[in-house]
Amino acid sequence: LARRVTTGTPAELRELAGPALKLFLSVEKHFSDFVEDQFDFHTYCVRKMTLRAYVSVLKLEDGIRGHKAFVKACCQAAELYLL
């Protein structure tokens, strides 16, 4: 679906815009849910003193919005909004 959206004709793009946008926004929601779920992990690490795991998760969270799949989905969703 994503490939058809990026290479399709304008008529095809209008037809596929809804399902494609839903797909791209589900990728964004997946990453947002992951970040939200880490709040429980923060309190667990502080309570159990697992600082090495805590630091590695903090590093992961610093770059989570730069992940290739996230950036691609957001860029393609923005392009669909601009149609």
Side-chain angles (χ1 to χ4, degrees):
L1 179 65
R3 179 169 293 170
R4 287 177 57 191
V5 169
T6 58
T7 62
T9 64
E12 290 174 335
L13 290 178
R14 280 192 293 274
E15 183 180 309
L16 296 174
L21 188 58
K22 185 177 179 179
L23 176 71
F24 297 142
L25 293 179
S26 71
V27 172
E28 191 276 330
K29 183 175 178 350
H30 172 76
F31 278 88
S32 294
D33 289 346
F34 177 80
V35 170
E36 269 186 40
D37 290 344
Q38 297 312 307
F39 287 119
D40 293 333
F41 188 70
H42 291 297
T43 57
Y44 170 80
C45 284
V46 171
R47 188 179 60 223
K48 295 292 185 177
M49 298 299 288
T50 54
L51 297 179
R52 186 174 299 164
Y54 185 64
V55 169
S56 89
V57 167
L58 289 177
K59 287 180 183 177
L60 172 72
E61 286 181 351
D62 284 343
I64 197 76
R65 302 279 185 201
H67 190 275
K68 183 173 68 172
F70 180 80
V71 171
K72 184 176 180 180
C74 288
C75 289
Q76 290 180 335
E79 288 176 17
L80 282 175
Y81 278 125
L82 296 174
L83 279 180

